[in-house]
Amino acid sequence: MTARAILALPLALLVSLASAQPDELSLERIFDSPDLAGPTLRRAELSPAGDRVTFLKGREDDRSLLDLWEYHIADDSTRVLVAADEVMTEEVELSAAEQARRERARIADLRGIVDYRWSSDGRWLLFPIGGDVFVLDMQAEAREVRQLTDSDAFDTDPQIAPDGRHVAFVRERELWLVEIESGEAQPLTDSATDTVANGMAEFIAQEEMGRSTGFWWSPTGDHVAFLQIDESPVEVTRRYEVQADRIEMVEQRYPYAGTDNVTYRLGVADIESGEIEWMDIGEESDIYIPRVKWLPNGEQLSFQRQSRDQQTLELVVANIDDGEARTLLTETSETWINLHDDLHFLREMPAFVWSSERDGFRHLYLYDYEGERLRRLTEGQWQVDSLAGVDEEMGMVYFTASEVSTTEKHLYRQSLITRSPEVVNRVSRRSGWHDIAMDRDARVYVDTFSNSRQPPQLSLHNVDGERLAWLVENRLDDDHPYGPYRDGHRPTEFGTIVAPQGHELHYRLIRPADFDPEARHPVFVHVYGGPTHRMVTDSWSRRMLIDQYMARRGYLVFSLDNRGVERQGKAFQDAAWLKLGQVEMADQMVGVDWLRSQDFVDPDRIGIFGWSYGGYMSLMALAQYPGEFAAGVSVAPVTDWTLYDTHYTERYMGKPQDQAEAYESGDVLNYTDEMTDPLLLIHGMADDNVLFTHSTRLMHDLQARAFPFELMTYPGEKHAIAGEGPRLHVYRTITDFFDRHLEPGKAED
């Protein structure tokens, strides 16, 4: 259309044409408030009475500041229960332990009320803020927040007793109790030292085992089980955290692969007498205790004992009166055993539900208290993700699984007395990703649902899947924060590639906004590849928004899930045993070869980006396959597995003393002489997970051979580089780097 023709158009039509153009999605907007995903919802839970749903929600003008909300089912009303800044009017500096705990939980960027718990009777809502513990009486006419603890020390991990009389918490490495009615607080343990702690989850429990606590209330509320950890065997690492205005030397007991771990004692404290009975956890001290769970009678305590090589996992039950223990069942593997939370002791019969990967896929089984298998509950070439709930009265078990596809997660149910474990009933209906929180009796559930087209929605359902109410509909309309960008949203395509060895590799592809099938486009390969996380899921995330942003800049965005990742069966994972950095890259290159075979891909403009394990994969891509990538970005990468922690590394690699060849093959530093392609290296200078040493060693090696690379470091930032300004800066830097090397605006015929 000529300029003269445009000038001749009516003003109304010009306005219409302008409004039809989608707004430009920017990095600044992705990291600004309000959140483009809509209301920021966390920790949705049904009350014990099932009359309301509580959740944490970020402010519209500050999505990192969380308040406590409720949806009242009978009134169909949503309101703020506790506004964080009304309880704590000034920001409080977090203790070192709390900072570390939040970093492990990936909530270091959040403020306000970041956690809460219900009492079993539904009367109290408990939450920590500012280093103190607060409760809200939900049965009082005028609901007022009451402060339970007030100390110069930082009180962490508060948990309310099932009988609602006491709250237990950790203060200065000791386990404490406070009586709710009187507010009287007293220590329950008194043996903590610089290396001994009571009731605290150790570093690798939080980072690698999925266990964030170190104590557990009995069902009757008269005992507390707790782990006492002794960190003295763990080597003290002196590392430097570079802040903006200073350098701090931090002494951290970091359990490097092949070195000593903490040792455990498992105690049960009587809260009335203060006496502690120690459980028999076995003669072998070089073990892990990843899970502890009470039996319904409150007289026995179960714990899981995992061997150091993680090839044996025992479920053990101990009597709390004398500590005598017996093993109920044992799982073994020639590679490793994945931990889970799928243990449920039935109340009406002496049996329990347990999950196992013994047939190649994780499935549910029913056992009696003698450890004899009564029956299997599920079966098939798909994986149970997690146990969601058990309704003993109706004889039903509920769980989430990958039965539809590895790209989706759904809720299912099965009879506890089934004779056809291969037949299950899917409860959730919409295609996508369903995170489920059921009530105590498994009669209703809260569904946090999203897919690649719909931001997270929160809804209440009965066990037949019927929606009873919207808690947060989050309709993607013109008024939604993402509304101005909706018309420019690029669809995500899912597919599979068959590798030469015959296994299926799932991928997702987003075509650029200016996609021309006759032209050749650059590719932004977004990789993770590690065993604990899939990239190819039909869900909404900020990661997806970054991919949308890159697609709008003119990139094809591609991700592939390689062997080693979960949800495709244990054999698919086991291929990575002793071969980290090898089989994953072989599969990623299958994906790259597939890309190169497409007429719309420019084979000379393929870049790769990853963070953490993905950063390791990006480095391995450039080091093992020089000349195959136009550029690579690596953020917070592992470079040498001997510098990473015991539980994660040894799970897949064994000890370096025993598997020297595996560590040598998986060490990026052994391949740096082969690097030829442009590299951008990024790392937080206070990272206490993947230590900054990983990157400084790589820098040294590359500089020793005078290899040019780009570097961006972040003073004071840890593994997640969680500050909104620094995180925005990270992606601006990445975008600029790829734009210079891949030239997304350049058309190739």
Side-chain angles (χ1 to χ4, degrees):
M1 185 177 289
T2 65
R4 184 184 300 274
I6 292 175
L7 291 173
L9 291 173
L11 177 61
L13 181 56
L14 287 172
V15 171
S16 175
L17 287 172
S19 63
Q21 299 300 313
D23 283 10
E24 191 67 31
L25 181 65
S26 66
L27 288 172
E28 290 76 12
R29 182 61 192 88
I30 289 174
F31 292 99
D32 199 1
S33 297
D35 197 319
L36 285 179
T40 306
L41 307 175
R42 295 175 180 268
R43 291 288 315 281
E45 290 187 18
L46 278 153
S47 65
D51 61 341
R52 66 194 73 226
V53 179
T54 47
F55 53 90
L56 301 175
K57 180 180 176 183
R59 303 277 179 89
E60 282 198 13
D61 60 346
D62 186 354
R63 64 185 183 185
S64 297
L65 179 59
L66 305 186
D67 300 318
L68 180 58
W69 287 66
E70 75 163 356
Y71 168 78
H72 195 272
I73 296 173
D75 298 341
D76 189 26
S77 60
T78 304
R79 67 186 182 98
V80 178
L81 277 176
V82 183
D85 52 8
E86 292 179 5
V87 177
M88 187 60 57
T89 56
E90 296 181 1
E91 291 285 342
V92 175
E93 184 176 353
L94 302 179
S95 68
E98 180 64 11
Q99 290 180 37
R101 190 188 70 83
R102 294 192 184 192
E103 181 69 20
R104 305 284 81 77
R106 307 298 187 257
I107 58 172
D109 58 331
L110 301 179
R111 305 170 358 259
I113 302 174
V114 299
D115 194 12
Y116 72 94
R117 287 183 173 90
W118 278 97
S119 63
S120 295
D121 61 4
R123 177 179 178 182
W124 303 104
L125 265 175
L126 170 78
F127 60 93
I129 188 171
D132 293 312
V133 181
F134 296 80
V135 290
L136 177 65
D137 190 344
M138 297 294 289
Q139 295 179 3
E141 289 187 14
R143 293 180 185 166
E144 292 185 2
V145 174
R146 183 153 61 88
Q147 185 169 349
L148 280 186
T149 68
D150 186 3
S151 168
D152 292 337
F154 209 97
D155 300 335
T156 62
D157 194 20
Q159 298 180 36
I160 195 164
D163 61 7
R165 294 190 301 128
H166 296 88
V167 171
F169 59 92
V170 176
R171 175 185 292 175
E172 296 180 329
R173 301 169 68 85
E174 297 283 16
L175 194 57
W176 280 66
L177 288 180
V178 58
E179 189 178 54
I180 292 180
E181 290 296 341
S182 67
E184 181 180 344
Q186 61 182 2
L188 191 59
T189 61
D190 62 359
S191 55
T193 67
D194 289 343
T195 59
V196 174
N198 294 301
M200 288 181 58
E202 69 273 25
F203 170 85
I204 55 174
Q206 296 181 49
E207 182 64 41
E208 310 298 0
M209 299 184 202
R211 174 168 61 78
S212 60
T213 190
F215 69 91
W216 300 264
W217 277 105
S218 69
T220 53
D222 52 4
H223 291 87
V224 178
F226 68 97
L227 282 171
Q228 181 185 88
I229 58 171
D230 183 353
E231 299 174 293
S232 59
V234 182
E235 179 183 345
V236 175
T237 297
R238 292 176 176 86
R239 59 181 178 83
Y240 294 95
E241 290 193 353
V242 181
Q243 308 292 332
D245 57 352
R246 65 193 185 281
I247 299 177
E248 298 176 352
M249 189 187 77
V250 177
E251 291 191 348
Q252 178 183 355
R253 292 187 180 274
Y254 189 95
Y256 293 107
T259 66
D260 292 336
N261 280 314
V262 304
T263 58
Y264 300 99
R265 296 178 80 192
L266 177 59
V268 175
D270 186 312
I271 68 169
E272 295 298 329
S273 68
E275 294 182 358
I276 297 173
E277 185 71 39
W278 297 100
M279 305 296 102
D280 178 8
I281 63 173
E283 294 183 3
E284 177 58 64
S285 61
D286 194 10
I287 60 170
Y288 299 106
I289 300 183
R291 302 287 185 269
V292 176
K293 192 180 186 74
W294 284 89
L295 274 67
N297 60 16
E299 298 174 358
Q300 293 177 301
L301 180 72
S302 78
F303 62 93
Q304 295 177 33
R305 182 169 55 208
Q306 185 181 43
S307 61
R308 173 67 182 259
D309 64 13
Q310 300 181 60
Q311 294 180 347
T312 302
L313 180 69
E314 298 170 289
L315 177 62
V316 183
V317 171
N319 300 319
I320 68 168
D321 57 350
D322 59 10
E324 184 178 341
R326 63 188 178 93
T327 300
L328 277 186
L329 61 81
T330 302
E331 299 279 355
T332 60
S333 171
E334 294 182 357
T335 55
W336 75 87
I337 296 171
N338 289 309
L339 297 175
H340 61 79
D341 292 297
D342 305 329
L343 172 61
H344 180 90
F345 292 101
L346 303 181
R347 295 186 297 269
E348 302 301 325
M349 63 180 292
F352 61 92
V353 178
W354 174 260
S355 76
S356 171
E357 293 178 299
R358 63 185 54 195
D359 77 343
F361 288 83
R362 183 183 300 155
H363 282 292
L364 297 178
Y365 299 82
L366 187 67
Y367 285 84
D368 66 19
Y369 275 12
E370 299 303 316
E372 295 295 325
R373 194 178 90 180
L374 300 177
R375 64 187 66 91
R376 68 178 301 158
L377 301 177
T378 62
E379 182 177 2
Q381 300 293 299
W382 46 270
Q383 173 178 302
V384 168
D385 290 313
S386 63
L387 183 65
V390 178
D391 182 349
E392 288 193 57
E393 183 178 340
M394 301 301 294
M396 302 298 293
V397 59
Y398 295 85
F399 57 93
T400 55
S402 64
E403 186 264 348
V404 167
S405 167
T406 60
T407 64
E408 299 187 27
K409 181 161 76 170
H410 286 276
L411 177 65
Y412 298 82
R413 66 183 173 197
Q414 178 64 287
S415 167
L416 281 169
I417 59 172
T418 183
R419 297 186 183 278
S420 302
E422 71 280 0
V423 180
V424 294
N425 185 338
R426 179 154 65 100
V427 177
S428 53
R429 300 172 182 175
R430 292 188 292 168
S431 297
W433 202 262
H434 298 263
D435 284 315
I436 304 298
M438 301 200 83
D439 72 322
R440 183 170 50 193
D441 297 321
R443 299 297 173 85
V444 292
Y445 67 90
V446 174
D447 184 356
T448 303
F449 167 80
S450 74
N451 59 32
S452 57
R453 305 164 301 284
Q454 172 61 54
Q457 297 177 299
L458 198 63
S459 51
L460 182 68
H461 298 253
N462 64 23
V463 291
D464 292 324
E466 178 185 356
R467 187 172 63 239
L468 303 177
W470 282 113
L471 281 65
V472 180
E473 186 176 4
N474 203 18
R475 184 188 297 272
L476 188 49
D477 54 21
D478 291 342
D479 296 326
H480 191 277
Y482 196 65
Y485 314 100
R486 178 185 54 185
D487 291 344
H489 186 82
R490 305 299 300 155
T492 301
E493 303 170 26
F494 296 94
T496 58
I497 304 168
V498 178
Q501 298 89 337
H503 55 275
E504 281 192 346
L505 300 171
H506 292 257
Y507 72 84
R508 61 181 175 88
L509 178 70
I510 305 175
R511 298 174 191 259
D514 59 351
F515 180 72
D516 178 355
E518 302 299 323
R520 292 181 177 270
H521 302 269
V523 183
F524 175 76
V525 176
H526 193 166
V527 66
Y528 183 73
T532 58
H533 180 69
R534 291 190 75 89
M535 290 287 284
V536 185
T537 61
D538 193 6
S539 59
W540 187 282
S541 65
R542 189 179 292 182
R543 178 195 71 213
M544 183 212 71
L545 289 175
I546 295 296
D547 291 346
Q548 285 287 323
Y549 169 76
M550 296 301 284
R552 293 188 189 208
R553 292 189 72 81
Y555 294 93
L556 286 156
V557 179
F558 179 81
S559 291
L560 177 140
D561 283 334
N562 47 252
R563 282 173 295 171
V565 302
E566 60 184 1
R567 296 193 102 221
Q568 278 185 251
K570 196 58 167 59
F572 192 79
Q573 272 201 306
D574 285 349
W577 168 242
L578 304 182
K579 295 178 181 178
L580 292 191
Q582 309 300 303
V583 297
E584 309 101 302
M585 278 313 310
D587 286 350
Q588 290 294 329
M589 293 310 296
V590 171
V592 171
D593 289 343
W594 178 84
L595 285 169
R596 287 203 169 98
S597 71
Q598 308 304 306
D599 292 338
F600 52 81
V601 170
D602 185 341
D604 297 323
R605 290 191 292 163
I606 299 177
I608 186 167
F609 154 71
W611 195 306
S612 194
Y613 200 102
Y616 169 68
M617 292 286 285
S618 292
L619 291 176
M620 279 301 205
L622 300 188
Q624 292 187 15
Y625 298 90
E628 297 285 345
F629 295 91
V633 176
S634 174
V635 184
V638 170
T639 59
D640 177 353
W641 285 109
T642 65
L643 298 177
Y644 203 58
D645 69 56
T646 52
H647 195 269
Y648 184 96
T649 309
E650 293 173 13
R651 185 187 316 157
Y652 312 116
M653 299 280 278
K655 287 184 177 181
Q657 303 94 311
D658 303 328
Q659 303 292 346
E661 184 177 344
Y663 278 81
E664 184 175 349
S665 298
D667 189 339
V668 170
L669 304 177
N670 288 328
Y671 301 91
T672 53
D673 286 348
E674 304 301 320
M675 283 191 182
T676 60
D677 304 314
L679 166 67
L680 168 62
L681 178 64
I682 297 174
H683 214 128
M685 301 177 80
D687 196 331
D688 63 348
N689 178 12
V690 179
L691 306 182
F692 190 42
T693 311
H694 285 271
S695 281
T696 57
R697 289 193 61 184
L698 176 63
M699 296 174 210
H700 178 269
D701 280 18
L702 294 178
Q703 291 161 354
R705 59 176 286 239
F707 178 76
F709 66 97
E710 297 183 33
L711 175 69
M712 181 58 66
T713 57
Y714 291 86
E717 290 294 332
K718 295 190 180 294
H719 190 58
I721 311 181
E724 287 194 8
R727 180 61 74 95
L728 172 59
H729 190 272
V730 167
Y731 282 104
R732 280 179 174 170
T733 304
I734 292 170
T735 302
D736 174 70
F737 178 79
F738 278 126
D739 283 355
R740 283 187 282 112
H741 290 284
L742 272 65
E743 301 180 276
K746 177 182 174 183
E748 292 285 351
D749 297 328

